[in-house]
């Protein structure tokens, strides 16, 4: 479905974005393992996390809707062997976390996904999980899904992440809950730490020492309610929209401000963005607060490569900001973006060119020369990727924009375009 957004003259207002995708996936998984009933409050109900809900139901958890919340009756560590394959659809996080979780379970499991997910590398979890004792096979020797997995009999290993990936870290920590001995993940570069925070929330074994994160076999643990904060990655679209649209001020409330997620704020600040944020609650679990963004005269910047893992999903919307900035923006460290829901380096370059922006694309970097060409309504090509659809809808907003296959946004944010239109200032 094509969607036409008229030119935004000004954006004003405040909003709450849907629940965090990463926390919702993990919350559903851990509550399914817990003993007794617990609620996931304000979870994300979107394509990716509904795939997790269905997978956990197929593995024997009882999950029911309660208004905006979900009630989960867990299995007390032992999941059920499902009768059919588990379809992760578009959700890479789900497939990698399940590979770890199911490596610790007795039984036979097959994981598959949509065409995009079946092209994404799975050897990054298959190799260390095999070293722990899991049997994992798949296309091209386990590089690609479908994956066939037989779990059980794991032993702990120490594993240094070859690429920064919270998904791989989390897969190994989940497997470690069922392994003999200690499982240690060493992350040379920090990545999002939701799994570690949730292990603490549920009282699961966890020890951290600098870049080393350790876990070991758990006994049964009781369910506990979990509040899901608003997703910073979803908020980011509205922040950049306000920065690049004249006469705008947008405030996002109840949003997660976990420092392992908010690298974008630092980069936008360095570009001259008028941005303010404040943590208001949740110091012990996930920090939550408010972010305000106002129209700003942005200038290009050289992004610090070390920040990329702390803003890995925000690079498309950073590119949207760079398109409207004065001067050049250089973004290094993008090799992981080649293997996301789409090849995001290529998708960003394509959509910037549709805006008349000059862009140079390297194997793992982008050089963007700020300057959008006024004139014809740009057309956004999402490449079957939710974040590309939303980031470039934002990039074209001051001009008016046509978004092809806009329904891709429903993977992480079903009401995105309605929320965006709700900010158009009257008059
Ligand atoms: C996620 C980790 C990141 C991120 C993804 C969600 C997670 O992926 O891009 O959207 O929830 O752990 P990588 O682990 O591949 O960096």
């Amino acid at each position: 479905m094509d969607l036409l957004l008229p030119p935004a003259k000004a954006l004003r207002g405040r909003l709450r974005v849907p629940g965090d995708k990463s926390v919702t996936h993990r919350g559903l998984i851990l509550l399914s393992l817990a003993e007794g009933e617990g609620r996931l409050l304000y979870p994300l109900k979107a394509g990716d996390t509904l795939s997790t809900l269905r997978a956990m139901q197929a593995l024997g958890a009882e999950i029911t809707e309660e208004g905006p919340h979900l009630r989960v009756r867990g299995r007390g560590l032992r999941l059920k062997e499902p009768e059919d394959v588990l379809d992760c659809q578009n959700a890479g996080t789900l497939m990698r976390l399940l590979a770890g979780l199911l490596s610790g379970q007795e039984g036979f499991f097959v994981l598959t996904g949509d065409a995009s997910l079946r092209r994404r590398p799975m050897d990054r979890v298959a190799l260390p999980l095999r070293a722990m004792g899991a049997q994992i096979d798949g296309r091209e020797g386990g590089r690609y899904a479908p994956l066939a997995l037989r779990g059980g009999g794991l032993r702990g290993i120490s594993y240094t992440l070859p690429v920064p990936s919270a998904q791989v870290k989390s897969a190994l920590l989940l497997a470690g809950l069922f392994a003999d001995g200690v499982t240690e993940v060493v992350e040379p570069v920090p990545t999002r730490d939701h799994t570690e925070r949730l292990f603490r929330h549920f009282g699961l074994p966890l020890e951290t020492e600098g870049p080393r994160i350790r876990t070991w076999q758990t006994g049964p643990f009781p369910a506990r309610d979990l509040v899901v904060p608003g997703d910073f990655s979803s908020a980011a679209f509205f922040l950049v929209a306000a920065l690049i649209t004249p006469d705008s001020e947008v405030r996002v409330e109840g949003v997660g401000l976990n420092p392992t997620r908010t690298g974008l704020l630092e980069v936008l600040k360095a570009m001259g963005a008028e941005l303010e944020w404040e943590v208001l609650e949740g110091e012990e679990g996930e920090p939550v607060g408010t972010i305000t963004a106002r129209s700003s005269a942005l200038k290009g910047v050289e992004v610090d490569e070390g920040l990329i893992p702390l803003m890995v999903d925000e690079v498309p919307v950073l590119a949207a900001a760079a398109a409207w900035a004065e001067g050049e923006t250089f973004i290094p460290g993008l090799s992981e973006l080649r293997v996301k829901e789409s090849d995001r380096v290529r998708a960003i370059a394509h959509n910037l060119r549709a805006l008349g922006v000059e862009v140079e694309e390297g194997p793992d970097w982008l050089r963007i020369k700020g300057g959008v060409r006024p004139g014809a309504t740009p057309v956004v090509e999402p490449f079957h990727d939710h974040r590309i659809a939303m980031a470039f809808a934002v990039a074209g907003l001051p001009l008016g924009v046509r978004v092809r296959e806009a329904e891709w946004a429903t993977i992480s944010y079903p009401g995105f375009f309605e929320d965006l239109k709700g900010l158009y200032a009257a008059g």
Side-chain angles (χ1 to χ4, degrees):
M1 170 200 72
D2 274 20
L3 184 116
L4 189 64
L5 288 167
K9 302 268 181 280
L11 297 174
R12 296 193 159 265
R14 43 188 208 169
L15 80 160
R16 281 178 182 266
V17 292
D20 188 276
K21 183 155 80 73
S22 293
V23 175
T24 302
H25 283 306
R26 289 160 171 78
L28 278 168
I29 288 174
L30 290 174
L31 279 170
S32 299
L33 279 182
E35 223 165 24
E37 273 190 9
R39 290 175 307 160
L40 200 56
L41 302 164
Y42 306 103
L44 173 67
K45 293 181 184 173
D48 267 11
T49 49
L50 291 176
S51 299
T52 301
L53 186 152
R54 282 189 289 268
M56 298 323 296
Q57 283 175 329
L59 290 162
E62 285 171 37
I63 307 177
T64 46
E65 296 225 27
E66 258 185 30
H69 315 307
L70 292 171
R71 182 176 286 278
V72 183
R73 171 166 283 282
R75 300 272 306 176
L77 293 185
R78 284 286 144 230
L79 299 173
K80 185 181 103 184
E81 184 179 75
E83 287 164 24
D84 203 348
V85 305
L86 298 169
D87 190 350
C88 303
Q89 296 180 312
N90 198 241
T93 306
L94 174 59
M95 184 171 284
R96 294 186 178 124
L97 264 53
L98 275 186
L101 173 73
L102 300 177
S103 290
Q105 298 284 322
E106 301 292 337
F108 175 69
F109 310 92
V110 180
L111 305 179
T112 191
D114 69 6
S116 152
L117 188 52
R118 283 183 275 115
R119 278 194 297 268
R120 298 180 65 185
M122 291 300 146
D123 45 350
R124 56 181 59 196
V125 283
L127 293 172
L129 290 170
R130 277 184 197 141
M132 291 178 77
Q135 294 175 43
I136 304 182
D137 205 350
R139 285 190 303 127
E140 297 193 20
R143 186 162 162 74
Y144 298 112
L147 298 178
L149 197 151
R150 194 170 276 286
L154 299 188
R155 57 192 172 271
I157 56 166
S158 175
Y159 188 71
T160 301
L161 295 180
V163 289
S165 168
Q167 294 178 358
V168 177
K169 168 176 67 176
S170 304
L172 300 188
L173 293 176
L174 286 169
L177 294 176
F178 301 94
D180 275 344
V182 173
T183 298
E184 178 183 75
V185 181
V186 186
E187 48 173 16
V189 184
T191 66
R192 65 187 69 194
D193 64 357
H194 304 297
T195 301
E196 295 91 308
R197 287 174 192 258
L198 285 174
F199 271 33
R200 290 198 185 98
H201 176 85
F202 287 107
L204 292 166
L206 187 83
E207 189 180 279
T208 56
E209 192 187 319
R212 297 170 186 277
I213 305 146
R214 299 185 194 106
T215 192
W216 51 93
Q217 203 162 69
T218 181
F221 62 97
R224 252 188 97 180
D225 286 358
L226 175 69
V227 183
V228 182
D231 197 322
F232 179 83
S233 298
S234 297
F237 299 116
F238 301 107
L239 303 179
V240 171
L243 297 178
I244 64 173
T245 306
D247 299 321
S248 297
E249 177 168 329
V250 170
R251 187 148 77 129
V252 188
E253 296 171 340
V255 61
L257 285 168
N258 178 324
T260 61
R261 291 286 296 281
T262 53
L264 178 73
L265 295 177
E266 217 175 294
V267 176
L268 291 174
K269 270 286 194 194
M271 294 175 81
E274 278 196 50
L275 267 179
E276 284 152 28
W277 62 93
E278 193 183 2
V279 174
L280 297 170
E281 53 182 308
E283 289 292 3
E284 284 171 20
E286 291 283 346
V288 178
T290 298
I291 317 174
T292 307
R294 295 185 195 89
S295 319
S296 305
L298 299 177
K299 42 187 197 310
V301 76
E302 180 142 346
V303 179
D304 171 0
E305 185 168 347
L307 282 176
I308 298 296
L310 309 181
M311 54 176 292
V312 64
D313 292 337
E314 285 67 68
V315 174
V317 81
L318 170 64
W324 289 89
E326 195 190 311
E328 213 170 81
T329 295
F330 181 70
I331 320 178
L334 299 184
S335 51
E336 277 296 298
L337 267 77
R338 296 266 184 208
V339 291
K340 293 289 179 190
E341 287 83 330
S342 67
D343 174 346
R344 286 189 175 158
V345 178
R346 182 171 151 243
I348 289 170
H350 173 99
N351 282 294
L352 285 172
R353 290 188 185 114
L355 288 162
V357 174
E358 264 181 56
V359 51
E360 215 184 315
E361 173 189 342
D364 65 348
W365 52 263
L366 284 165
R367 190 184 301 282
I368 301 166
K369 194 152 176 274
V372 170
R373 179 185 53 216
T377 307
V379 177
V380 177
E381 178 58 61
F383 293 90
H384 304 178
D385 184 334
H386 56 128
R387 296 207 197 280
I388 297 295
M390 293 186 276
F392 286 92
V394 164
L397 208 58
L399 304 174
V401 63
R402 181 179 296 280
V403 186
R404 299 189 52 197
E405 299 187 355
E407 61 276 11
W408 278 103
T410 61
I411 290 292
S412 61
Y413 197 157
F416 175 72
F417 292 105
E418 290 70 30
D419 286 354
L420 191 58
K421 285 188 217 156
L423 295 173
Y424 277 53

